[in-house]
Each structure stands twice: as C-alpha cells, then as structure tokens.
C-alpha cells in the first residue's frame, strides 16, 4: 500500500506500524465517576467494519508522526490521511 | 533427429552441450531444455505426481505441468524447474525427478495399477484408521512417494537482490499487445517498464508465421524491441516474471539475471526481486491454450497444438515425424498448416465440429474424436472415432490438441477481479474490479487476433497516459492478421471407463471430478480442494477450466454459473532465495554493537544476542573451563569490590518541555510531578488494560528535562507508546521526545568500591560523597578532564552503584579508563549473566516478570499505582479481576537442597498435589545459581505469595521431569533493607 503522508507525500506502508481503530484517540477521563465501565469499552470494544475504517498508523521508519488514515477495508482504498494530532485537537483534546 | 533443417530463432552456429539423466546431448543457443530434448528425440521427461505415469512436455511456456526437472548440482541444485522455460546453456546438467530407479523403469508406476484406490479424497478415506498411524506411517510414506524434486542442503553460493522501480506505465508481457502499449507510451516520453518472462521478447509473434506489414511477425517484434531498447525512458525487463498485483499499483516481479548462465557474472546476483511502483499498468499476458480430455491423453507426445506450433516455428523442432491434430477450433488448423509448411507429415486433423472447414494438404475428419491412445513410454498411436461411429487407428508420434485458448487472467484477479465468461470465445476474460490502475489488452482481454492485440495494446496505453494528463496519438502500426475466433466448445470425450486427464501434474481425471460431484463437493472451491485440481505448482493453468466444464456438465449449470476459483500470487513458483534477498546468514538479523564491543572482544568475552544487540555475556579467564565459574567470579568481584557492565542497550528517551513532568505523570502509574531536579525515580508503566508494560527510571535533569530509561527489549515499543500519548491523547502538552539510545554510551559501575573508582574518573569539582550525591541522585558532570557526562546513582545489582553516560564516541575510551583506574580495586567487567544473577539476588523484576500477564499488584508494587491522578492503565488496573487478594505475588524460592537446580518455567504445587492445572499455584519466572548465597535461587509468582513465606512448595516441570522442594522466601535475597545501595 502507499500512504500519502500529509507532510511527506507518498510513502510505502512498510515504513509504518499499524495500531488500529482511531477511536483510541478518545481516551476517557480516568478521574471521572464510573470511569471503569467507560474504560472497559475504550480498551476492548472495537468496530470491525467491512468498508470505511478510521485507523491509527505510526510512521516509525519515518518522521514518527501518528496518522489517522481512513481506509476502505474491502478495497484498501485510502480515502484520507491526517495527522493524528490535528484530529485529536479537532475532537477537542488538548492537555 | 527432430530438428527441422530450416527456420527457428536459434543460433545453429552455436553448439551447446548438456546432459539429461547423465546422457549427453547437443542443442543451440536460443533453445530451451524442452526444445533441445525434443530435437534430440527425447519425449519422456518426467513422471506424474501420484500415478507415476510417464510424461512429456504439454506446453512451451511457464504453464507446463509435466516436464518438471532438476537442474545443476551441488549448492546450485534446483528442483521442479519447468524444462519449457529453462534456457539452455553450455554444460547444463538436468535430471528427471519423482522416478526410481530410472525414468523409464519407475518402481512406483505400480500406483498406476492401483488407481482404483487412489481416487479423489483417497487420503481422507484410506488413512483415517487407525488415527495413530497417520503421523508415523502413512504420512512419511505418502511424502516419499508423492515427491517432486529434491533440494540441496549445501549453501547457495549465489546472491539474490531486491530492488525498487518506479514508472508511469508498467507493461506486463511483450507480445503484440505489450509491444504496442510500450511503443505508444515510450514514444510519448512516458517512463515505461516492459516486463516479460521469456528470454526473447515478442510473445506469440515469435511462434507464428504470419506477416506484419511486409515483415514476418518475429522480425517486426525484434525491430520493436530494438526501438524500445534505444529509448532512455523505457526499461526492458526480460527474463522477468511479474508475480503478483498488489495494492495501489505495486507489483512484484522476479528477474532471472543469471539462471541462463552456468554461474552469475562476478558481482552479479542470480535473481532480483523487484518491487515495482506503477502509476498505471497494462496486462498483456496473452493466452494459454487448453487441452481436450480423452482416455489416456497424458502420454509423452501428446501436447497442446499451440505449443507444437511454437516448437516448429520458434525452435525448428517437431516432436515427431508424423503427427495429427485434435481440435475444436480453427487454431488447430493453423498448427497443421505450419507443420505442413515445414515438411512434417500430418496424418489428419481430427475436428470435433461437424462443420469443420477443410485444410489444404491434409485430411480433416469432421465430427470426429480421439477416443484413446497407446504407447507405454511415448505415443505410438491414437484411436479415432469418426462421425459415423467407426473407429480406426492412426500411427503417429505426436498429437497436437487444441481445446481453445484461455485469456491469461491471473494478475487481473489478484485483488478483487472476478473473471467473466465470454461466450464468443468460450473462455473467461478479466472482469469485476481490476487492481487499481490496471487495464488489460490483447489476448489476455480475449482479443486473440494480432491486429486486435496491437489495437487494444496501443489503446490501453493511450487511456493510461490520458489518466496521467498526457494526450497521445496511436502509432501507425502495419496491418496484421485479424482472423475471428471460431470455436465450438468441446471439453472431454465421454463414454469411456478409462482415465481421461484434466490436471496432468496432480493426476486429476474426469472420473475424480465425477466422484467429487457424487460426494457433494460441487462448489468450485470444494472441487479444487477435494480433488486437488489446480493445486499443483502450475496452479492449474492448463487444467482449471476443463475441470469446471466437467462439473458444469454434471450439475447441469453453465460454466458462467459454475464460476472459477481464485488466482493468487505468485503467478509462477519463486525461489526462496529470491524472497530472502540479502537477508541470509549473519545478515538475516543484523546485530547492533555496544560502544565497548571492540574492547570486550579484546578481553575474549562471550557474546549473546539481546534484542537486536550483541552484548557481552561473560568474560571467561584462561583458568576457567565452565561459564558458571566466570559468572560466579564476576558476581563475587562486583559485590566484593567493583564491577563494570555496558548497559548502553537500555532504551533512553529524552523528554523535554514545559509539561514534561505532567506528561510523565500520566505515562507512569506512580507519581512524577513532584520529583526534584537532580533526582531519579523508578517508574512503572502500565498498558491501558492495567497490565504492566515496562519499567525503568526517569531522571530529572532540569525543571523541563527528563531522561527516561526503558528495558532493552521494549525500547522501541515504549517510545511508540509515548509518542502516541503525546500526539493523540494530549496534543497540546508542551513536550518533545527523542530516542537517545545510540547517543549515549552508558556503564553500570557497581560495588562497594564504585565511588572510589569514579572519584578517579570524575573531574574533582563534582562531589560524589554520599551527602553530595546520594542514592537516586543524578546530574550532568564532566569526566577525564572535561568530557561531558551524566551520572545517575541507581542500582540494579543492589550494591552501591552508579550509571555513567558519555557521548557514544567516548564509550570505548571510558571503558578503558575505568579498567585502568580500577586496577587498584581489582575492577572486574561483568556481562549479562552476572547482571541477571545480581538482579535475581536482589529480587528486581525484569522481562521474565514483566511478561505481559502481570500487574503491579502481582509484582508487589500494587501501592505504587496512584489513585490521586489519571495515568495510563490506572483505572483498569483496579478492576475486580486484577485485585484478587489470593492472586499471584512475586516471591523468592530457596531449594531445600541448595545444590538442586530450580528451573524457570517450573510450576508451583503444594506438597503431595498431583501435577495438574487444577492444583497450579503459580510459576517460577527467573532462576539462577547465587554465588552470594551458595545456593540455587529463584523468583516467581505464587498464589497469595506474601502470606506463604516459610512454606515449602514444589517447583515441578513435567517437561524436564524436575520436581524440587523449595521454601517460599522474600524475593530480596541480598540486603533486603537496601543498606548497601545507600552506603
């Protein structure tokens, strides 16, 4: 596969390490009430879609950026590639 | 013999000597092993896989199922090569395989007589009982009998490379369509790669006799290849098979750089595995002719009519002096005409079509069928049943069979493509969603005429370049033949009890498919696996469709409804060497060397691989004969005076920024926010699921600067994890990370004399006294008169100890200085074994304990997990299941007999308990001989361990037969109060 890195352009997928579902960005607050149940979902529950999937890739043999890649799991078509940091900020994560 | 006196693309002035099964023969440059053997009158080239039937060539290309041979000797010995693609060279030694004692007299031909017992699925039926016989008796016998070639156990003397190529347009196949596509794109200036598996580009143009304009088609092809070779933007990859189509326009190809030479030219590899990145691709892989099945249709001399024509036209070889043709389409007639033109006697064209056309100079038997053949080691005659029902024999040495042509769709379906049935040519053509950027042209797309191939090849190139924003005109190609495909499908001759082969290599017959149908294996994928149809090394290139057609007939469905099985990479078999490339021997897994490596080699150290690193394991002395002597001495010397160990391999991560402390506070389960500058703290990292991930130390060098260490094994994954937290979880924290593992050489200096030793190295303005630089202090210092260094007062051994780091380039020098300066203290270098012994004696957890299943509580560090803050893994570490009061706890074990060894991995049982899972109390994680205690010792996890101190349990290992009584003790065998390290 070829991943079109937003800063570096097209890169071979061999340069990357795959992590999984991009919802791992949405880490709950560990100090909130009822955190245990929410963390159980966060740590263990994943969708396994046949189709579009947002997932985290790490450019380990490259610039060490984490990326959010939207990929069709049926065709391997890559729909979008974003810096995970930008995605996290857009989703309201900060400090 | 069978070499025709004129024609062919062979160099008759060059004589090449070669042997087959020890017998010497001659051929010419341009020959394949198959064409040269046929020229010498050799029809018998192999034995079939299951029945050991005598076999000759079926085809003239890489689809060959029968003529598998072994080439060369010694380290270059190469099994299962198709004689049809083995390019002849002077001195080639070839041998048949799967036959004993000889190809002509094969003992296992008895299988042929037992064929009633060896039908489809016979493995599953025959060898079911008794079950225990499978592994010991049946399987070894079957493996020996159903063999292909054998490999050499000598190392391969050649090298194999991997390479990367980029292009605008990849053209796969250099027949008329491929040449047209490459010329169109090449003349327009696009970056073109043209790959073809043959050693002579041109495809079928080299095997046909029709003209192209005023040239012969072979001459036109040679001219086109010469023009392409002159274009700087075109790369020709001959002898290169494109093996697979992968995502996003990436293709794998293997180039046989030196398979046609006795040995590679100096400095050249034998083969290259290319990874080709293409913006667009055109598949011009041509078509493969297919047989018609009839009784005993597998004798040497019976071959595909298209292949027979290729042998006559390209190699000037006829397989016999008298031949016949069996066909259901006009292409068989073309073969007859070309044979006649070369003076070969054609006895008849047996055409299944009642309306078969006439053919000048040869008798056409319309509506007739070949119903049987005779000849033990080679074809002697066939029996023909005429339209009238009358049967007669034809005495011939070879039969050309033409059941039509199958477009070579393999690469088009490596992704999501699903071939579609085309009624007009009675064959599957590429269909469904093709690999990204791929188009198909020429015969591969079902356009069988040369004119059609040129037009579609050029058209595909024009479209591909248009995608890339380039407008190109079609070149003016000369007129070529444009005959229509005239075929009346005919798959197999029925009404026989004899075996009629579909898959030659795996010995699958019409009967086997019929049996599969009877037993309910009707879906194509079931049919394939039950009968092994299409599962041989040729992947059914000549057999799949025949099998499907028989199944379709039995189920009453059309072939389109029956469907076809999937094609997967690789297109043809690949040598393991090509896949391995340079990653063999020492280069299979390169090792990293520590800064003191050269020094350690000079000391005669024994090394061990740890992760990617090569580390000194111990430093044997001349008077030591056993590794234990060396390790015990190193431990005693360190605990008695001072030892030095290279610990550079531990991961080092530099953490800087205003929020560095807050960041580490969330990464580690214990608190880091309040760590004072100039102090070090032990830290435990958890995974988000609450399991311990890694441990190490974090040293606060400045308000906004920490140096974090990780275990050697987890250096990479911890860094990845911290980057994830930094970028994805807390993107606005002001914190930066960089791995500095290679930047600093780091040495542990341990033992009661370590301070005294360091005082001789560290520049005098730095106070190393216990008050000035206490336990868990850290700081930036200089050594040896101004060399920058970092000093950490941390201890893995439990002794008064330091770790000192200098920029890597000074590591070797520092090691030598420490050894020189330490001579008065008898300083001793120690390796990973002594390091391990001392950490077990001290009860420190390491990789064996942080094994991905253990929690802070298991490790005896439950109280370290702070509930005053949010840190990764803290919430789920408090889950009920992980908080079990009776859960596993880290404890130590002393064998009742101090000299009885305890084994890591042993399970813990109460005395008298049977060694069953139900009685399991835990397991031993680390064990060693402790020279300090003069006893074997161990640590491990025991249920409710902290309440069982003093109890006697058993460490049992059913694997090794060991069963040792051990006393449960504190894991801190040495200096449990930690007085030494604070001294």
């Amino acid at each position: 596969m070829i991943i079109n890195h937003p800063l570096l352009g097209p890169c071979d997928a061999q340069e990357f390490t795959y992590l999984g579902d991009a919802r791992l960005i949405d880490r709950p607050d560990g100090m909130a009430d009822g955190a245990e149940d929410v963390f159980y979902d966060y740590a263990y529950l994943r969708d396994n879609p046949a189709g579009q999937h947002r997932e985290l890739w790490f450019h380990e043999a490259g610039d060490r950026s984490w990326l959010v890649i939207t990929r069709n799991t049926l065709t391997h078509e890559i729909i979008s590639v974003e810096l995970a940091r930008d995605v996290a900020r857009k989703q309201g994560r900060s400090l | 013999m069978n070499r025709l006196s004129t024609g062919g693309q062979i160099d008759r002035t060059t004589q090449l000597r070669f042997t087959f099964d020890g017998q010497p023969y001659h051929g010419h440059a341009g020959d394949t092993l198959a064409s040269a053997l046929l020229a010498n009158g050799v029809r018998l080239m192999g034995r079939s896989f299951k029945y050991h039937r005598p076999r000759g060539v079926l085809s003239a290309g890489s689809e060959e199922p029968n003529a598998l041979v072994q080439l060369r000797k010694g380290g270059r010995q190469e099994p299962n090569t198709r004689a049809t693609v083995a390019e002849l060279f002077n001195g080639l030694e070839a041998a048949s395989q799967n036959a004993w004692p000889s190809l002509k007299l094969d003992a296992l031909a008895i299988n042929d007589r037992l064929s009633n017992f060896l039908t489809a699925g016979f493995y599953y039926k025959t060898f079911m009982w008794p079950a225990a016989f499978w592994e010991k008796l049946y399987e070894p016998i079957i493996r020996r009998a159903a063999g292909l070639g054998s490999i050499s156990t000598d190392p391969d003397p050649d090298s194999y490379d991997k390479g990367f190529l980029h292009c605008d347009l990849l053209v796969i196949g250099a027949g008329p369509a491929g040449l047209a596509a490459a010329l169109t794109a090449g003349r327009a200036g696009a970056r073109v790669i043209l790959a073809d598996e043959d050693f002579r580009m041109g495809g079928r143009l080299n095997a046909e006799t029709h003209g192209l304009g005023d040239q012969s088609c072979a001459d036109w092809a040679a001219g086109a290849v010469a023009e392409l070779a002159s274009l700087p933007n075109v790369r020709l990859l001959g002898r290169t098979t494109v093996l697979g189509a992968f995502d996003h326009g990436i293709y794998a190809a293997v180039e046989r750089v030196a398979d046609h030479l006795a040995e590679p030219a100096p400095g050249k590899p034998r083969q290259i595995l290319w990874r080709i990145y293409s913006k667009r691709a055109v598949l011009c892989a041509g078509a493969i002719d297919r047989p018609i099945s009839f009784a005993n249709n597998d004798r040497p001399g019976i071959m595909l009519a298209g292949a027979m024509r290729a042998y006559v036209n390209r190699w000037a070889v006829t397989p016999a002096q008298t031949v016949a043709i069996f066909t259901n389409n006009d292409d068989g007639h073309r073969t007859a005409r070309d044979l006649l033109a070369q003076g070969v006697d054609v006895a008849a064209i047996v055409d299944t079509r009642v309306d078969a056309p006439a053919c000048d100079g040869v008798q056409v038997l319309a509506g007739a069928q070949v119903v049987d053949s005779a000849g033990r080691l080679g074809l002697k005659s066939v029996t023909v049943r005429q339209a009238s029902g009358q049967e007669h024999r034809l005495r011939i040495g070879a039969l050309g069979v033409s059941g039509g042509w199958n477009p070579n769709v393999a690469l088009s379906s490596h992704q999501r493509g699903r071939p579609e049935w085309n009624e007009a040519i009675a064959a599957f053509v590429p269909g469904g969603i093709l690999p990204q950027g791929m188009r198909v042209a020429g015969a591969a797309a079902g356009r069988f005429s040369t004119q059609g191939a040129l037009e579609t090849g050029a058209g595909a190139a024009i479209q591909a370049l248009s995608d890339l924003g380039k407008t190109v005109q079609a070149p003016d190609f000369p007129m070529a033949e444009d005959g229509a495909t005239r075929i009346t499908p005919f798959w197999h001759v029925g009404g026989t009890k004899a075996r009629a082969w579909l898959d030659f290599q795996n010995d699958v017959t019409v009967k086997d498919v019929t049996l599969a149908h009877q037993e309910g294996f009707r879906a194509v994928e079931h049919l394939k696996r039950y009968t092994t149809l299409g599962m041989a090394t040729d992947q059914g290139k000549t057999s799949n469709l025949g099998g499907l057609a028989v199944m379709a007939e039995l189920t009453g469905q059309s072939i389109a409804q029956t469907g076809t099985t999937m094609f997967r990479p690789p297109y043809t078999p690949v040598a393991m060497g090509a896949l391995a490339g340079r990653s063999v021997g020492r280069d299979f897994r390169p090792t990293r060397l520590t800064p003191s490596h050269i020094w350690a080699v000079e000391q005669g150290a024994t090394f061990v691989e740890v992760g990617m690193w090569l580390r000194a394991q111990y430093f044997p002395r001349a008077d030591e004969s056993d590794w234990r002597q060396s390790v015990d001495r190193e431990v005693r010397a360190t605990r008695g005076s001072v030892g030095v160990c290279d610990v550079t391999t531990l991961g080092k991560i530099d953490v800087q920024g205003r929020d560095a402390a807050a960041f580490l506070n969330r990464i580690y389960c214990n608190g880091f926010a309040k760590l004072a500058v100039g102090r070090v703290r032990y830290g435990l990292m958890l995974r988000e699921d609450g399991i311990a991930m890694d441990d190490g130390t974090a040293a606060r060098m400045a308000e906004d600067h920490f140096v974090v260490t990780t275990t050697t094994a987890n250096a990479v994954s911890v860094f990845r994890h911290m980057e994830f937290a930094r970028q994805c979880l807390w993107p606005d924290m002001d914190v930066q990370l960089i791995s500095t593992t290679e930047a600093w050489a780091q040495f542990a200096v341990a033992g009661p004399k370590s301070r005294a030793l360091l005082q001789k190295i560290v520049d005098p303005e730095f106070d190393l006294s216990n008050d000035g630089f206490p336990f868990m202090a850290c700081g930036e210092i200089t050594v040896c008169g101004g060399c920058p260094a970092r000093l950490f007062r941390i201890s893995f051994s439990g002794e008064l100890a330091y770790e000192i780091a200098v920029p890597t380039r000074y590591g070797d020098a520092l090691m030598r200085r420490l050894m020189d300066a330490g001579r008065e203290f008898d300083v001793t270098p120690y390796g990973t074994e002594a390091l391990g012994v001392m950490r077990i004696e001290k009860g420190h957890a390491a990789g064996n304990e942080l094994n991905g299943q253990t929690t802070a509580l298991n490790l005896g560090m439950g109280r370290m997990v702070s509930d005053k803050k949010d840190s990764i893994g803290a919430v789920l570490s408090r889950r009920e299941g992980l908080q079990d009061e009776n859960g596993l706890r880290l404890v130590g074990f002393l064998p009742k007999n101090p000299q009885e060894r305890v084994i890591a991995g042993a399970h813990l049982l109460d005395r008298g308990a049977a060694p069953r899972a139900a009685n399991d109390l835990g397991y031993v994680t680390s064990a060693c001989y402790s020279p300090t205690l003069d006893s074997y010792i161990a640590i491990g996890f025991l249920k409710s361990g902290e309440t069982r101190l003093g109890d006697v349990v058993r460490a049992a290992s059913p694997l090794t037969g060991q069963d040792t009584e051990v006393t449960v003790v504190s894991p801190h065998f040495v200096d449990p109060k930690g007085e030494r390290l604070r001294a």
Side-chain angles (χ1 to χ4, degrees):
Chain A
M1 288 203 296
I2 293 172
I3 292 169
N4 198 4
H5 191 295
L7 304 177
L8 302 173
C11 299
D12 194 296
Q14 287 184 120
E15 296 170 16
F16 294 80
T17 305
Y18 180 78
L19 180 65
D21 196 335
R23 66 184 291 257
L24 280 171
I25 290 172
D26 307 321
R27 186 178 183 276
D29 178 3
M31 302 304 281
D33 286 342
E36 200 179 312
D37 287 345
V38 189
F39 264 89
Y40 173 79
D41 289 354
Y42 171 72
Y44 291 107
L45 295 188
R46 301 277 185 283
D47 289 332
N48 184 21
Q52 281 203 13
H53 190 222
R54 294 178 81 234
E55 49 200 26
L56 284 160
W57 293 69
F58 183 48
H59 199 198
E60 188 141 58
D63 72 340
R64 298 182 277 122
S65 56
W66 277 95
L67 303 178
V68 173
I69 295 180
T70 308
R71 184 176 64 102
N72 186 319
T73 57
L74 291 174
T75 63
H76 292 186
E77 183 198 356
I78 291 178
I79 295 112
S80 75
V81 184
E82 301 160 274
L83 291 175
R85 174 173 244 162
D86 294 343
V87 173
R89 282 182 178 137
K90 250 184 271 170
Q91 289 172 203
R93 301 201 69 87
S94 177
L95 290 170
Chain B
M1 300 281 284
N2 287 328
R3 181 78 76 182
L4 302 167
S5 55
T6 58
Q9 293 142 33
I10 48 168
D11 177 6
R12 291 175 195 258
T13 61
T14 317
Q15 287 264 324
L16 302 177
R17 284 175 296 109
F18 72 101
T19 65
F20 181 62
D21 281 344
Q23 196 70 29
Y25 298 102
H26 283 95
H28 295 300
D31 262 327
T32 63
L33 177 60
S35 69
L37 284 171
L38 287 174
N40 283 281
V42 178
R43 287 183 300 178
L44 176 62
M45 297 186 199
R47 288 273 174 173
S48 73
F49 188 64
K50 194 159 89 174
Y51 299 130
H52 290 249
R53 298 265 293 190
R55 293 285 169 79
V57 283
L58 182 75
S59 72
S62 64
E63 65 272 26
E64 176 61 31
N66 283 341
L68 301 187
V69 293
Q70 191 140 307
L71 300 184
R72 308 167 188 254
K73 290 266 169 69
R76 291 194 172 90
Q77 182 173 313
E78 170 192 331
N80 308 334
T81 298
R82 291 139 292 160
T84 49
V85 296
E87 197 173 340
L88 201 64
F89 60 82
N90 203 34
L92 174 67
E93 290 176 272
S96 60
Q97 44 190 42
N98 204 28
W100 182 89
S102 75
L103 193 53
K104 286 187 179 159
L105 189 78
D106 178 8
L108 278 165
I110 186 75
N111 284 5
D112 197 30
R113 310 267 167 191
L114 300 174
S115 63
N116 281 345
F117 303 99
L118 300 176
T119 52
F122 79 99
Y123 283 180
Y124 314 119
K125 293 166 186 165
T126 313
F127 303 114
M128 285 296 287
W129 184 89
F133 276 27
W134 174 253
E135 209 173 298
K136 293 210 166 68
L137 186 66
Y138 296 144
E139 195 186 7
I141 290 174
I142 291 168
R143 287 211 183 280
R144 219 172 305 132
L148 290 171
S150 60
I151 53 163
S152 167
T153 51
D154 296 341
D156 188 333
D158 299 327
S159 60
Y160 297 78
D161 258 333
K162 289 187 185 178
F164 300 82
L165 294 171
H166 297 259
C167 62
D168 295 320
L169 186 68
L170 169 66
V171 182
I172 302 161
L179 289 174
L183 282 171
T184 305
R187 285 176 185 170
R191 288 175 77 192
V192 175
I193 292 173
L194 174 61
D196 192 279
E197 62 179 346
D198 207 329
F199 56 89
R200 185 183 179 98
M201 288 194 169
R204 279 308 290 191
L205 295 178
N206 292 325
E208 305 292 355
T209 51
H210 60 75
L212 236 165
D214 50 9
Q215 286 178 295
S216 78
C217 56
D219 285 347
W220 184 85
V225 173
E227 182 188 338
L228 289 167
S230 75
L231 296 175
N233 51 315
V234 175
R235 182 170 186 143
L236 297 178
L237 287 176
R239 300 186 175 97
T240 301
T241 307
V242 177
L243 299 166
F246 299 92
D247 291 307
H248 305 164
I250 300 174
Y251 291 81
V254 70
E255 181 180 4
R256 291 170 292 278
V257 179
D259 278 17
H260 62 296
L261 303 170
E263 54 186 84
K268 294 286 185 187
R270 173 82 181 266
Q271 299 181 350
I272 301 172
L273 183 68
W274 293 109
R275 190 180 175 89
I276 302 174
Y277 297 84
S278 69
K279 289 182 184 156
R280 291 291 180 276
V282 189
L283 178 65
C284 306
I288 295 172
D289 48 357
R290 62 195 187 207
I292 298 172
S293 193
F294 59 90
N296 296 307
N297 60 333
D298 65 329
R299 297 192 196 280
I302 301 176
M303 62 173 66
L304 296 163
M308 189 178 266
R309 191 157 84 233
Y311 284 115
V312 168
N313 292 333
R314 177 170 168 186
W315 288 288
V317 173
T318 180
Q321 295 304 319
T322 307
V323 303
I325 301 295
F326 181 28
T327 187
N328 65 355
N329 69 94
D330 284 4
D331 197 67
H333 293 248
R334 188 191 277 189
T335 300
R337 285 195 296 272
D338 285 1
L339 289 165
L340 286 169
Q342 279 283 14
V344 179
D345 179 19
V346 182
I349 297 176
V350 182
D351 196 319
T352 56
R353 298 172 295 178
V354 287
D355 58 347
C359 185
D360 272 354
V362 57
Q363 180 193 19
V364 177
L365 303 172
Q369 299 168 3
V370 175
V371 296
D372 203 353
S373 77
R376 195 173 71 84
L377 296 176
L379 185 68
K380 288 190 173 142
S381 68
V382 294
T383 307
V384 178
R385 186 195 296 142
Q386 306 223 35
S388 62
Q390 204 180 356
E391 293 189 0
H392 73 278
R393 276 190 174 212
L394 279 179
R395 299 195 68 81
I396 49 171
L399 179 72
V401 183
S402 178
W405 292 79
N406 286 328
N408 189 357
V409 302
L411 287 163
S412 79
S413 57
H414 278 182
Q415 300 277 297
R416 308 189 74 213
R418 292 291 177 276
E420 287 164 4
W421 184 250
N422 181 324
E423 203 66 48
I425 58 168
F428 281 104
V429 293
I433 302 162
L434 300 187
Q436 186 179 319
M438 181 192 276
R439 287 183 173 79
V440 191
R447 291 292 297 272
F448 290 150
S449 77
T450 307
Q451 188 68 37
L454 293 172
E455 280 169 15
T456 54
I462 289 166
Q463 288 176 339
L465 295 188
S466 158
D467 291 351
L468 305 177
K470 217 168 187 158
T471 310
V472 186
Q473 295 300 314
D476 201 10
F477 291 126
M479 289 303 288
E481 64 81 27
D482 200 12
T485 303
R486 279 192 292 268
I487 181 168
T488 305
F490 185 87
W491 304 104
H492 73 104
V493 177
T496 177
K497 287 187 175 160
R499 283 167 295 164
W501 269 263
L502 293 164
D503 183 329
F504 293 93
Q505 195 178 127
N506 262 359
D507 273 335
V508 181
T509 65
V510 174
K511 271 183 166 179
D512 293 315
V513 176
T514 310
L515 187 68
H517 173 259
Q518 278 169 11
E519 300 189 349
F521 296 93
R522 292 171 194 182
V524 285
E525 299 288 353
H526 288 159
L527 170 69
K528 172 175 174 175
R529 280 150 190 85
Y530 191 60
T531 62
T532 73
L533 175 82
M535 289 177 75
T537 61
D538 66 335
Q539 289 287 290
K541 290 183 177 62
T542 55
S543 64
N544 279 341
L545 191 53
L548 296 176
V550 173
M551 182 55 84
E553 205 175 285
L554 291 164
T555 55
Q557 288 184 315
S558 67
I559 293 175
Q561 287 168 322
T562 305
T564 178
T565 53
M566 285 292 297
F567 297 92
R568 295 188 180 85
Y571 175 64
T572 50
V574 198
M576 293 304 288
L579 298 174
R582 301 271 175 173
S583 303
V584 291
R586 284 171 61 91
D587 296 329
F588 180 67
R589 197 163 177 253
T591 43
R592 300 160 79 182
L593 303 180
T594 63
S596 67
H597 184 80
I598 294 169
W599 175 85
V601 170
E602 289 167 14
Q603 307 310 307
T606 299
F607 293 92
V608 61
E609 280 183 38
V610 181
M612 295 281 277
W613 294 90
L614 210 52
R615 295 185 73 180
Q617 192 176 12
Y618 50 94
F619 295 82
R621 287 193 178 162
D623 58 337
E624 291 166 346
S625 56
D626 182 77
W627 67 275
R628 262 277 310 284
Q629 288 176 295
S630 311
V631 174
D632 290 356
R633 170 183 51 74
E634 289 170 18
V635 171
R636 287 196 184 102
T638 302
R639 295 217 187 277
S641 178
V642 59
V644 178
C645 182
D646 190 326
V647 293
T648 303
T649 64
L650 293 180
K652 305 179 202 77
I653 300 170
D654 213 66
V655 183
Q656 297 196 37
R658 206 170 49 239
D659 296 321
F663 178 74
L664 291 181
N665 211 34
R666 295 184 191 172
I667 293 289
Y668 287 114
C669 70
N670 50 322
F672 272 84
K674 289 176 189 150
L675 181 65
V677 173
R679 304 292 291 177
V680 188
R681 184 170 289 172
Y682 173 83
L684 182 66
M685 284 180 202
L686 306 181
R687 307 192 309 220
E688 197 65 271
D689 63 0
I691 300 292
M693 179 166 103
D694 198 60
D695 70 347
T697 58
R700 191 162 199 174
M701 309 305 287
E703 200 59 41
D704 58 354
H705 182 199
F706 288 78
V707 173
V708 164
T709 67
T710 74
T711 58
T712 300
N714 289 336
V716 170
S717 56
V718 167
F719 184 66
R720 187 188 302 154
H721 170 74
M722 287 171 65
E723 280 289 3
F724 169 77
R726 186 180 80 90
Q727 296 177 38
C728 301
L729 301 184
W730 305 298
D732 289 333
M733 271 195 164
D734 179 25
V735 57
Q736 301 296 328
L737 308 173
I738 192 160
S739 166
T740 57
T741 305
E742 286 93 344
W744 295 89
Q746 193 151 323
F747 300 98
V749 182
K753 298 281 187 218
S754 56
R755 179 182 294 127
L757 169 54
L758 281 178
Q759 273 164 339
K760 296 179 68 180
I761 297 283
V762 174
D763 291 337
E765 62 266 37
F766 298 98
D767 178 9
L768 294 190
S769 69
N770 205 21
D771 292 336
F773 203 78
F775 180 56
M776 290 306 229
C778 68
E780 302 205 336
I781 57 164
T782 60
V783 297
C784 307
C787 176
R790 289 171 174 175
L791 190 64
F792 310 90
R793 192 168 159 194
I794 52 180
S795 176
F796 200 40
S797 58
E799 297 299 325
L800 166 67
Y802 301 82
E803 288 189 13
I804 182 166
V806 291
T808 300
R809 61 188 179 281
Y810 301 122
D812 178 82
L814 180 64
M815 187 53 150
R816 291 174 200 273
R817 286 289 183 96
L818 286 167
M819 287 299 126
D820 279 348
R823 203 162 292 146
E824 64 176 288
F825 312 113
D826 282 331
V827 65
T828 299
Y830 65 94
T832 55
E833 290 293 337
L835 180 87
V837 168
M838 287 191 278
R839 75 100 189 158
I840 297 170
E841 288 179 335
K842 184 65 186 166
H844 281 314
N848 292 12
E849 288 73 36
L850 299 165
N851 60 11
Q853 301 176 37
T854 50
T855 63
L857 191 61
N858 297 148
L859 291 160
M861 297 189 266
R863 271 179 296 180
M864 270 178 71
V865 184
S866 167
D867 55 9
K868 306 255 181 334
K869 60 162 186 170
D870 184 10
S871 70
I872 291 177
V875 171
L876 290 184
S877 78
R878 291 191 280 269
R879 278 182 290 171
E880 199 181 333
L882 298 184
Q883 291 293 320
D884 187 358
E885 282 179 16
N886 303 316
L888 297 171
R889 297 291 181 275
L890 188 69
V891 291
F893 303 101
L894 277 173
K896 289 191 84 178
N897 170 2
Q899 301 311 310
E900 193 173 353
R901 201 173 152 198
V902 184
I903 291 178
H907 275 251
L908 301 166
L909 298 164
D910 272 324
R911 283 197 283 189
R916 286 202 310 266
N919 296 328
D920 190 24
L921 298 178
Y923 53 96
V924 175
T925 51
S926 302
C928 68
Y929 182 79
S930 164
T932 313
L933 275 71
D934 266 331
S935 170
Y936 279 97
I937 60 169
I939 58 175
F941 296 104
L942 176 67
K943 276 185 188 167
S944 312
E946 78 277 29
T947 67
R948 299 205 58 180
L949 298 182
D951 288 0
V952 174
V953 296
R954 286 154 53 215
S957 170
L959 204 63
T960 61
Q962 224 137 12
D963 198 335
T964 311
E965 293 206 330
V966 294
T967 307
V968 181
V969 295
S970 152
H972 311 295
F973 295 93
V974 170
D975 189 26
K977 290 185 181 148
E979 287 161 348
R980 292 192 200 179
L981 42 80
R982 290 188 173 79

